[in-house]
Amino acid sequence: MKQWLEKIDWWLLVLLIAFAAVSITVITSAMTGQQYATNFAERQFLYYILGFIIALSLMFISPKKLRQFVWPIYLVGNLALAGLFILPESSFTPIINGAKSWYRIGPISLQPSEFMKVILMLILANVIYRHNRFTFNKTIQTDFNLILKVAGVALVPMILILLQNDLGTTLVLLAIILGMIIVSGISWKILVPFLLTIGAVGASLILSILYKPVLIEKVLGIQTYQLGRINSWLNPEAYSEGDGFHLIESMKAIGSGGLFGKGFKNGEVYIPENHTDFIYSVVGEEFGFIGSVLVLILFLALFMHLIRLAQYADHPFSSLFLTGLISMLMFHVFQNVGMTIQLVPITGIPLPLISYGGSALWTVMCGIGIALSIFYHKQKTSDS
């Protein structure tokens, strides 16, 4: 019994319990606006219970066993995404918020694109590991071959998700791919020009939208109204009745929180859907700068723990998977917190482990469950 208990990553479980407490507390506070009759805090508690069951169940499945099933899992994930296009609208595949992106089974809604994040980490970890294992003479050509392999497995789910008009999830997948490619062993002679090109293209697009919107409209065929999200990010006051409303209210809420906040359930600024994508605005208003920083410190503790686990994992597949998980979580936190303070444009990306939502939470818990498995099945050494 003692040996079994020593194999559990208790620090990671303690961090998860802390996140659960913060999530339920903040969601409870967010509900004071009475936007909905549903008790989202109670639901989030139940989602967390199921999430812990998922994570602890995955802990007993060894990474070696997972490697044997990554391709069937990848196939099932893509079939689930494709099924949303093939199956007609029904109670099983309803249209929610204008998109058919969920399967509904009784009271539970499952979003395949969320689970594809973890599936992509698994398949890319396997592809990169096997490529490096059987590459005996590393050259620029073998690096390009690896990039083609990564692109080959990543494009299918990305296209299926883009067809759902889910840009936010697509950006998360790109963050996962980028993080895993950086540690894959590909030469920096390829990576540096690639990253600089992406940065230059992104900066050029933003500057063009800002100063030459007509050029963007002519060259890319994008209508001016479709640039509203970028324009409202750069100048929210000019779009206060539309795309800029959420951003203005979010900054008002966070700014009015001051150093210590207004207190639990004392939020005054109305922000639609504040229990989901804009949960950090609730933290800023009701718990102030101190509360906001403590939440970020909690995430930092999680990142540091996962980075250490990735460093001392006893198999390249495990290290690669953890890199993908860290990349996903970091991008989620940066994007979600950044959009509430005008650092980045607004996208529908939740704050992991804190925002309300079943599929998003269970996806992270699947990743955490595999991290628990890596620790549980790790061969103990003197430096671990």
Side-chain angles (χ1 to χ4, degrees):
M1 182 66 175
K2 182 180 179 182
Q3 185 180 9
W4 180 78
L5 291 174
E6 288 176 349
K7 294 166 69 177
I8 297 176
D9 190 344
W10 292 106
W11 280 112
L12 187 52
L13 288 178
V14 168
L15 286 171
L16 287 180
I17 293 171
F19 274 110
V22 171
S23 175
I24 294 165
T25 299
V26 179
I27 291 172
T28 300
S29 193
M31 290 174 57
T32 55
Q34 299 180 344
Q35 297 180 36
Y36 306 95
T38 306
N39 189 330
F40 290 115
E42 186 178 279
R43 283 194 179 186
Q44 186 76 349
F45 176 77
L46 296 175
Y47 290 158
Y48 252 107
I49 294 297
L50 182 54
F52 273 105
I53 293 173
I54 292 170
L56 293 174
S57 299
L58 285 170
M59 182 178 72
F60 295 104
I61 303 174
S62 69
K64 182 178 179 180
K65 184 67 68 175
L66 276 174
R67 291 203 309 272
Q68 297 173 0
F69 292 96
V70 290
W71 285 106
I73 294 171
Y74 174 76
L75 177 61
V76 170
N78 282 300
L79 288 175
L81 288 172
L84 293 169
F85 298 97
I86 298 171
L87 298 174
E89 180 189 351
S90 64
S91 59
F92 180 55
T93 53
I95 293 179
I96 302 176
N97 296 329
K100 193 169 70 169
S101 303
W102 289 264
Y103 290 106
R104 176 165 286 171
I105 305 171
I108 298 176
S109 295
L110 298 175
Q111 190 174 5
S113 59
E114 281 291 334
F115 295 100
M116 181 52 70
K117 297 172 185 176
V118 174
I119 294 173
L120 185 64
M121 296 173 208
L122 287 170
I123 195 69
L124 289 183
N126 188 61
V127 166
I128 295 170
Y129 158 65
R130 291 186 63 82
H131 172 88
N132 289 337
R133 180 185 178 188
F134 295 106
T135 300
F136 304 104
N137 296 309
K138 191 172 177 297
T139 64
I140 296 296
Q141 182 60 51
T142 60
D143 285 349
F144 273 115
N145 289 341
L146 177 55
I147 291 175
L148 290 175
K149 291 176 183 178
V150 169
V153 296
L155 278 177
V156 176
M158 287 179 65
I159 290 172
L160 290 172
I161 291 170
L162 271 177
L163 290 174
Q164 298 176 14
N165 293 321
D166 190 348
L167 178 61
T169 301
T170 305
L171 292 174
V172 175
L173 296 186
L174 285 172
I176 293 169
I177 294 166
L178 183 59
M180 296 182 75
I181 281 181
I182 287 176
V183 300
S184 67
I186 292 177
S187 172
W188 284 98
K189 293 179 181 178
I190 297 175
L191 284 179
V192 170
F194 176 71
L195 295 174
L196 289 176
T197 300
I198 291 177
V201 170
S204 298
L205 281 173
I206 292 175
L207 290 173
S208 297
I209 290 170
L210 185 61
Y211 296 108
K212 297 288 183 179
V214 176
L215 179 63
I216 291 292
E217 185 175 341
K218 288 182 178 179
V219 174
L220 299 180
I222 298 175
Q223 300 300 312
T224 304
Y225 73 88
Q226 293 176 299
L227 305 176
R229 184 166 292 185
I230 297 295
N231 290 322
S232 64
W233 164 51
L234 297 170
N235 186 15
E237 290 78 12
Y239 297 83
S240 59
E241 299 298 322
D243 292 325
F245 175 78
H246 278 82
L247 178 55
I248 291 174
E249 296 303 298
S250 173
M251 291 193 293
K252 186 188 301 182
I254 293 173
S256 65
L259 184 61
F260 298 104
K262 300 173 182 176
F264 180 61
K265 288 189 175 182
N266 288 330
E268 300 171 334
V269 180
Y270 172 74
I271 305 175
E273 305 289 343
N274 63 346
H275 61 296
T276 55
D277 296 346
F278 283 86
I279 195 74
Y280 195 72
S281 303
V282 178
V283 175
E285 181 180 13
E286 300 188 16
F287 302 97
F289 177 78
I290 300 297
S292 301
V293 171
L294 288 175
V295 168
L296 294 180
I297 290 174
L298 188 59
F299 276 113
L300 179 62
L302 176 61
F303 297 153
M304 295 301 294
H305 186 83
L306 292 175
I307 289 170
R308 185 177 185 277
L309 182 56
Q311 287 176 326
Y312 293 105
D314 58 2
H315 196 281
F317 172 85
S318 299
S319 295
L320 286 163
F321 174 84
L322 288 169
T323 299
L325 179 61
I326 295 164
S327 300
M328 181 191 78
L329 292 173
M330 283 186 170
F331 182 80
H332 263 272
V333 174
F334 174 78
Q335 174 62 40
N336 182 274
V337 173
M339 76 180 190
T340 65
I341 56 176
Q342 205 182 0
L343 185 63
V344 293
I346 292 176
T347 58
I349 295 178
L351 189 61
L353 297 169
I354 294 182
S355 291
Y356 169 81
S359 292
L361 176 61
W362 297 331
T363 296
V364 177
M365 294 301 266
C366 283
I368 294 295
I370 296 173
L372 288 169
S373 168
I374 291 168
F375 187 91
Y376 185 85
H377 295 277
K378 182 177 181 292
Q379 296 296 320
K380 297 297 181 180
T381 59
S382 59
D383 61 350
S384 62

